[in-house]
Amino acid sequence: MNAELVTRADDILARLRTAGWKEREGIKDELLAIATGLEGAERTKFKEYLENSRKDLSLELKWEIDEVLEAIKPPPAPPKPVEEPKVEEPPEDPNRPLTAADLKLVYDDPRGLMLYKTKKGDRWFASQADPRTGQPQTFELHPQEIAQLKTQLAGSPYWALGSGETLAR
């Protein structure tokens, strides 16, 4: 910062120290006019000069200088977009145990036979009561058993609506 500018700023700060509260606004405007007339490194040096000069001022006068510093602060840079780390889902293990959520009901006979199809893929499962224990038992069907069941149950009213497997002839 050049000597002329330092002398001018010192004079303004000296007037600020002795000024009443009514005159402070005009003196702040003078400091702001100097700061806005500077660019680049000169403006940065002037800001540093004001920051250093506030150390010797009363609290009220520090606030006045802070207002000038706040007014000449460059606008904040727009925030950089934060990229979410992409979490790659591991490939689905074809051998993992199936859950009820993996199956959709396609046939429901109230006498005890229920047929399920996997939501992904073309695996079929049947569930029916074990004749000895009465407990439900679920087992996977082989492709030839599926074809045979579809033929046997064609026209049955127990195919689940919307399952896409209604085989009424």
Side-chain angles (χ1 to χ4, degrees):
M1 206 164 83
N2 65 36
E4 180 185 325
L5 189 57
V6 171
T7 305
R8 190 170 159 205
D10 282 339
D11 290 343
I12 294 172
L13 288 174
R15 285 195 342 238
L16 184 64
R17 285 186 181 97
T18 59
W21 64 273
K22 290 182 181 179
E23 295 88 31
R24 289 183 189 158
E25 197 64 37
I27 297 171
K28 277 191 329 189
D29 289 342
E30 287 181 54
L31 286 173
L32 190 56
I34 292 172
T36 54
L38 299 173
E39 292 185 14
E42 285 295 312
R43 181 180 250 186
T44 303
K45 288 178 185 176
F46 187 72
K47 281 176 58 176
E48 290 172 2
Y49 170 81
L50 288 178
E51 288 169 354
N52 290 332
S53 67
R54 21 179 339 272
K55 295 176 185 172
D56 301 331
L57 300 175
S58 68
L59 184 59
E60 283 184 38
L61 297 178
K62 285 181 182 180
W63 292 340
E64 302 292 346
I65 300 296
D66 286 345
E67 286 182 30
V68 172
L69 290 171
E70 188 67 30
I72 61 175
K73 184 172 28 171
K80 294 180 181 176
V82 178
E83 291 186 24
E84 297 282 330
K86 294 181 181 177
V87 179
E88 291 185 25
E89 292 184 23
E92 194 170 309
D93 180 9
N95 299 321
R96 74 168 173 80
L98 293 173
T99 65
D102 298 323
L103 303 175
K104 80 174 177 183
L105 181 67
V106 293
Y107 184 84
D108 187 7
D109 188 333
R111 294 172 286 190
L113 176 65
M114 291 189 282
L115 297 177
Y116 299 93
K117 182 179 177 186
T118 55
K119 291 179 180 176
K120 292 182 181 177
D122 197 28
R123 294 171 62 191
W124 286 67
F125 293 86
S127 183
Q128 64 185 47
D130 184 340
R132 293 171 285 155
T133 63
Q135 296 296 317
Q137 194 177 33
T138 303
F139 50 92
E140 186 167 1
L141 299 170
H142 296 291
Q144 64 271 17
E145 292 173 316
I146 298 167
Q148 182 184 2
L149 273 172
K150 283 183 176 182
T151 304
Q152 269 184 320
L153 300 174
S156 171
Y158 301 117
W159 287 99
L161 292 177
S163 67
E165 297 299 330
T166 306
L167 297 174
R169 290 185 186 184

